[in-house]
Amino acid sequence: MPHIWSLGPLHGIVADPIYWTIMTNASGLILPFDNSYARLPERFYARLPPTPVAAPRLLKLNHALARQLGLDPDVLASPEGVEILAGNRVAEGSTPIALAYAGHQFGGFSPQLGDGRAILLGEVVDRDGVRRDIQLKGSGPTPFSRRGDGRAALGPVLREYLVSEAMFVLGIPTTRSLAAVSTGEPVWREAELPGAVLTRVASSHIRVGTFQFFAARDDLEALRLLADHVIDRHYPEARAEAQPYRALYERVIDRQARLIAQWLLVGFIHGVMNTDNTSIAGETIDYGPCAFMNAYDPATVYSSIDTQGRYAYANQPRIAPWNLARFGETLLPLLADDSEAALAIANEVLATFQPRYAAALLSGLRRKLGLFTEQEGDAALAEDLLKAMAENQADFTLTFRWLGDAAADAAADTGVRDQFLDPAAFDAWAVRWRQRLATESQDGAARRAAMHATNPIYIPRNHLVEAVLAAAIEREDYAPFEEMMTVLARPFDERPEFASYAEPPVGDQSGYRTFCGT
Ligand code: AMP
Ligand code: MG
């Protein structure tokens, strides 16, 4: 994690302990905001407050995250706090802005996208000294809204809340969710839906598309300011290197390579990996039509808008370097004075994505298989299991979970075998796996514990997420949402009372589609 303490004067705000809680004074609520992005030139954003809503009501507050941010959850849950979370009141110290960015969406370039329905309230420095953006999503129209209404529907807000927090607990870099507030106003999509606002927390909201915005305008000065800002904020160690901008590119590539490997290792499909949804800090961002895979199939696509399968599960490690190539293009003028030389540097760095990704994936697969040492045939062993899983429609999550039990005791194979249409396919593979395990001295119980700590039993399965959202939307019943949050808070701990949350959907779910979170 980057520590802002080492940053230069622009960002060197040392948080005074007195500001670690929200304080009230005569003029209202003071949040300990500091806004380094708002100190960048005016062409980086538009200044405007959120648009107030009719009847804000707090649906969910993330107490632990609030405390991590140095905010008092009780104050956030107070009527004044909820007004801030709804956009009806601007906290003192906040300089609300909508960020400008561009982006390639499904391969086509839009020179201007930007925060069309989000407002950055400001940044706070959290308890670990890490600077975090606090953003409202669904907070009303901005100059970047194009034809959109600037609003968010309740379902996608709750889905983003649930899935981003689940990802966090799984140890995957992600934006987080601080609060969800209903607006008391309808939004019109295919139908009339209840509206909501999500408070999102991120290392930053700078995207590949932010760089593209300035590159498309040949604004070299802005590109350099942005790159310097990113180095200071996210990669301060790059500053000390001989070529800081090259070092920046390398680090962004490294974070993305690790991130995509982690997605694949839990069966996550982002669904809309456009360059404007590719975080420079390497966090999972913009949860729209995302979903977790049930039966293992590398071609899985859930998003209704991804008709070509561009962002299918197994395409993600191919799309990420495509997005990063677009990032590299924006950096060319900073990499070298000579354009040929700059291109050579960019290509050399981009070529490191594949080995970085492959290494992260393989080490993750070793952990999933319970391997403590590194041996020559490990990648092939993992690939052969995945192949058998695909051929036998084995559930991705449960296969690895029950493999942990099989590792401790061959008599406990039933769970994992049952995942395979033809259990003999597992048996054949397991002979090789057990030979491999026998080359290590680890005892069975320790191996099982290690595997269960890396292979979750509970993931936000699509059919369960949909049921939770339906209860909230149709009946204003938030009990299922709360229970699912409780289950997903400890995804590695099997609890018999929550057995149904581990179950794959019954019947044909191949028709499952998620819709872009607008
Ligand atoms: P997304 O698909 O959510 O990543 O958004 C892509 C672009 O569309 C971004 O510029 C968003 O700000 C914008 N956008 C999405 N939904 C809306 C909306 N309801 N109103 C205005 N802009 C939107
Ligand atoms: Mg987006």
Side-chain angles (χ1 to χ4, degrees):
M1 282 295 176
H3 285 271
I4 66 110
W5 309 114
S6 55
L7 301 191
L10 180 63
H11 313 285
I13 306 300
V14 177
D16 184 326
I18 198 166
Y19 290 115
W20 287 91
T21 51
I22 301 176
M23 296 184 305
T24 345
N25 70 359
S27 54
L29 286 181
I30 303 175
L31 276 78
F33 281 128
D34 175 55
N35 306 299
S36 65
Y37 206 82
R39 290 195 288 273
L40 288 165
E42 298 282 332
R43 61 193 189 282
F44 280 64
Y45 47 77
R47 290 186 191 274
L48 80 162
T51 308
V53 300
R57 187 163 71 88
L58 185 64
L59 302 173
K60 182 73 183 165
L61 179 67
N62 191 334
H63 288 244
L65 178 58
R67 283 189 290 270
Q68 169 67 15
L69 295 169
L71 308 176
D72 182 341
D74 293 335
V75 178
L76 284 178
S78 73
E80 292 80 12
V82 174
E83 289 207 320
I84 291 175
L85 298 171
N88 286 22
R89 172 197 285 240
V90 176
E92 267 192 46
S94 171
T95 43
I97 53 176
L99 275 54
Y101 55 84
H104 275 91
Q105 301 182 304
F106 293 90
F109 186 62
S110 290
Q112 176 154 326
L113 295 168
D115 286 336
R117 54 164 170 170
I119 301 265
L120 176 63
L121 297 181
E123 302 153 16
V124 300
V125 177
D126 76 11
R127 293 234 145 115
D128 296 324
V130 181
R131 182 176 292 265
R132 305 274 180 206
D133 275 7
I134 300 192
Q135 189 207 57
L136 299 186
K137 184 171 176 182
S139 48
T142 77
F144 304 109
S145 296
R146 293 167 292 159
R147 279 182 298 270
D149 60 1
R151 292 298 182 189
L154 175 62
V157 164
L158 294 179
R159 185 197 282 115
E160 174 155 355
Y161 193 114
L162 204 125
V163 180
S164 67
E165 287 302 303
M167 292 286 272
F168 172 75
V169 182
L170 288 167
I172 301 172
T174 177
T175 62
R176 298 197 59 191
S177 298
L178 179 62
V181 169
S182 61
T183 61
E185 293 175 6
V187 295
W188 283 272
R189 299 295 181 256
E190 296 82 25
E192 185 182 313
L193 297 167
V197 177
L198 179 76
T199 307
R200 179 161 76 173
V201 175
S203 282
S204 82
H205 284 84
I206 302 167
R207 309 140 189 272
V208 166
T210 319
F211 282 83
Q212 291 182 293
F213 180 85
F214 297 112
R217 288 159 180 75
D218 286 324
D219 189 343
L220 185 55
E221 187 202 6
L223 275 172
R224 196 181 295 276
L225 282 170
L226 182 63
D228 287 340
H229 177 91
V230 166
I231 290 174
D232 287 347
R233 184 164 179 180
H234 297 301
Y235 305 99
E237 69 287 358
R239 179 70 66 209
E241 295 209 8
Q243 296 173 275
Y245 300 120
R246 179 196 172 116
L248 164 64
Y249 193 28
E250 280 168 357
R251 280 165 175 74
V252 173
I253 285 178
D254 189 62
R255 292 237 184 129
Q256 282 288 330
R258 291 169 191 273
L259 178 68
I260 306 303
Q262 284 189 279
W263 287 359
L264 266 78
L265 290 165
V266 295
F268 178 76
I269 302 160
H270 182 282
V272 57
M273 283 175 73
N274 294 330
T275 59
D276 55 303
N277 294 338
T278 303
S279 155
I280 293 294
E283 292 179 338
T284 312
I285 191 170
D286 275 1
Y287 292 83
C290 61
F292 282 76
M293 193 153 65
N294 292 301
Y296 179 67
D297 174 3
T300 305
V301 179
Y302 289 118
S303 166
S304 61
I305 53 176
D306 191 2
T307 47
Q308 308 288 310
R310 179 181 171 92
Y311 301 139
Y313 171 82
N315 268 351
Q316 298 181 118
R318 288 194 275 272
I319 284 296
W322 191 93
N323 290 340
L324 291 162
R326 307 288 78 75
F327 178 44
E329 285 162 5
T330 72
L331 295 178
L332 288 175
L334 303 178
L335 289 174
D337 290 334
D338 173 64
S339 60
E340 294 278 310
L343 200 57
I345 292 170
N347 275 315
E348 197 182 308
V349 175
L350 183 61
T352 68
F353 178 91
Q354 187 52 36
R356 289 176 200 267
Y357 162 75
L361 187 74
L362 180 55
S363 79
L365 284 169
R366 282 201 177 97
R367 280 195 302 279
K368 289 183 89 65
L369 295 183
L371 306 180
F372 287 78
T373 56
E374 297 179 10
Q375 289 182 26
E376 199 60 36
D378 293 347
L381 186 67
E383 271 161 33
D384 290 344
L385 174 62
L386 290 166
K387 190 163 171 280
M389 286 164 64
E391 284 164 1
N392 288 277
Q393 296 170 28
D395 183 79
F396 183 81
T397 303
L398 291 184
T399 299
F400 285 105
R401 181 69 187 192
W402 301 144
L403 197 60
D405 298 273
D409 176 6
D413 271 3
T414 335
V416 61
R417 287 183 91 242
D418 283 354
Q419 298 304 316
F420 291 74
L421 284 180
D422 175 11
F426 172 76
D427 296 337
W429 177 84
V431 173
R432 287 166 56 206
W433 177 56
R434 291 214 156 86
Q435 283 165 357
R436 172 66 180 82
L437 295 185
T439 65
E440 299 182 358
S441 57
Q442 210 67 32
D443 80 77
R447 174 169 275 125
R448 177 177 184 275
M451 291 174 75
H452 280 188
T454 199
N455 294 318
I457 178 162
Y458 308 115
I459 51 151
R461 292 193 186 260
N462 313 318
H463 65 294
L464 300 174
V465 173
E466 291 307 314
V468 159
L469 301 189
I473 297 164
E474 291 159 19
R475 303 191 298 279
E476 290 192 43
D477 177 5
Y478 285 85
F481 176 79
E482 291 295 338
E483 183 171 273
M484 193 164 190
M485 289 297 301
T486 303
V487 174
L488 294 175
R490 286 162 51 203
F492 302 106
D493 295 348
E494 185 175 1
R495 282 156 287 167
E497 69 272 31
F498 295 136
S500 63
Y501 285 88
E503 293 297 319
V506 281
D508 179 24
Q509 286 283 318
S510 61
Y512 180 79
R513 284 285 176 274
T514 66
F515 294 89
C516 195
T518 50

